[in-house]
Amino acid sequence: MATLLDLESGPRLCVEDVHITGHAQPITLRSYRPASDGTLLPIVLYFHGGGFIRGNLDDADTAAATIARDTPAWVVSVGYSLAPAYPFPAAPEDGYRAVQWAVAQARAQRADPQRIGIAGHDAGGNLATCVAAIARDRGDIRISAQVLLAPLLDPSMTRLADERKVLCPDLEASECARCYRAYLPNPSQRLHPYAAPLESRRLAGLPPALIASAEHDLLHIEAEKYAGELIAAGVPTEVTRHNKASHNALAAHPDALADVVAFFRKRLARAK
């Protein structure tokens, strides 16, 4: 059943949960669609955080609703399968199926399947860039922009910031390691380019990126390192570090979300 979400400003959103066939089990997508003014909307897929082992569609609500309202865009939030019950590659394959579903439904939603963005926070940032790589490699869907908010990108955990130099981090290294063990139970998976973006030597051809890191986050170094790797591969990339922000807070950080909206408005604009 669709519901109408009233926001503080801007148009109301039609919010609806949809069930589709995932890689290993049925998954739920949450659609956020602004009222149509007759123009085609871009499409944005959004992936919640939770370290691959927890999190849900409600966690993504602030980011998804903000992107839908302010871009404006048809946003599809992805309730992907979680480890350890469903380890890699269930989550990225769920993500790719969600993109395929959105493309198939674009006409009915008055959306443009040629203007697709992808975004995520924490583990969702990993999934966003990995699904973009899958789409590039399979060649049937073109993703035009990617946004990564405090992403988990390095299962080797060799690029973490010094815990003694990060003020009150809300994600500890031990917790990060536990999440990776659940998501990638086979050690060889920790080098797979669809699981470990920082280990990939095939970054060329990925969509333009916005990467947002948080000052009080042990992962800010790997996020910024990935930005450098994308730039070296020829991918147009913007990177921002949000001062006084923590890892978990970045998912709903007003300044970060304003940057996300501005990036999608630029990268998903209609051709003139």
Side-chain angles (χ1 to χ4, degrees), residues 11-36:
R12 291 196 299 177
L13 298 175
C14 178
V15 182
E16 182 176 12
D17 284 358
V18 178
H19 305 286
I20 70 168
T21 300
H23 175 73
Q25 63 163 346
I27 61 171
T28 303
L29 311 178
R30 183 166 294 170
S31 163
Y32 298 76
R33 183 171 49 79
S36 174

Side-chain angles (χ1 to χ4, degrees), residues 13-268:
L13 298 175
C14 178
V15 182
E16 182 176 12
D17 284 358
V18 178
H19 305 286
I20 70 168
T21 300
H23 175 73
Q25 63 163 346
I27 61 171
T28 303
L29 311 178
R30 183 166 294 170
S31 163
Y32 298 76
R33 183 171 49 79
S36 174
D37 62 1
T39 60
L40 292 180
L41 296 169
I43 302 169
V44 174
L45 281 291
Y46 188 86
F47 296 85
H48 65 77
F52 305 104
I53 64 173
R54 58 182 174 270
N56 56 48
L57 293 171
D58 292 341
D59 296 337
D61 188 66
T62 296
T66 299
I67 295 167
R69 176 196 64 196
D70 293 347
T71 303
W74 177 37
V75 175
V76 178
S77 183
V78 184
Y80 54 89
S81 299
L82 299 176
Y86 299 98
F88 176 84
E93 291 291 351
D94 283 347
Y96 190 70
R97 290 189 182 214
V99 177
Q100 291 177 308
W101 178 87
V103 168
Q105 297 297 315
R107 184 173 182 177
Q109 297 290 337
R110 295 198 58 78
D112 186 352
Q114 302 302 313
R115 293 185 291 144
I116 302 175
I118 196 162
H121 168 250
D122 179 82
N126 176 296
L127 296 175
T129 197
C130 291
V131 171
I134 293 171
R136 175 203 61 192
D137 295 344
R138 295 182 184 173
D140 56 343
I141 294 171
R142 179 178 178 270
I143 294 177
S144 300
Q146 60 174 321
V147 171
L148 317 181
L149 302 170
L152 275 67
L153 301 168
D154 178 24
S156 75
M157 296 181 57
T158 58
R159 301 169 178 93
L160 293 179
D162 187 337
E163 289 186 273
R164 297 168 297 181
K165 297 180 180 179
V166 175
L167 181 64
C168 300
D170 56 5
L171 176 65
E172 296 182 352
S174 58
E175 172 64 10
C176 194
R178 185 172 74 87
C179 292
Y180 277 128
R181 285 195 300 270
Y183 179 56
L184 304 168
N186 184 339
S188 66
Q189 295 172 328
R190 296 172 193 178
L191 297 175
H192 196 292
Y194 297 163
L198 259 177
E199 302 295 344
S200 176
R201 302 276 66 86
R202 296 182 58 251
L203 300 179
L206 288 177
L210 170 65
I211 298 179
S213 67
E215 179 183 14
H216 303 316
D217 182 11
L218 295 177
L219 304 182
H220 75 261
I221 290 178
E222 67 184 63
E224 293 159 14
K225 172 69 173 173
Y226 188 56
E229 294 289 336
L230 289 173
I231 291 168
V235 177
T237 302
E238 302 173 26
V239 59
T240 58
R241 184 190 296 180
H242 293 273
N243 295 332
K244 299 181 181 180
S246 67
H247 177 87
N248 291 325
L250 205 61
H253 192 285
D255 290 344
L257 292 181
D259 288 347
V260 172
V261 166
F263 182 78
F264 279 141
R265 288 175 68 94
K266 175 176 66 175
R267 291 293 179 181
L268 302 180

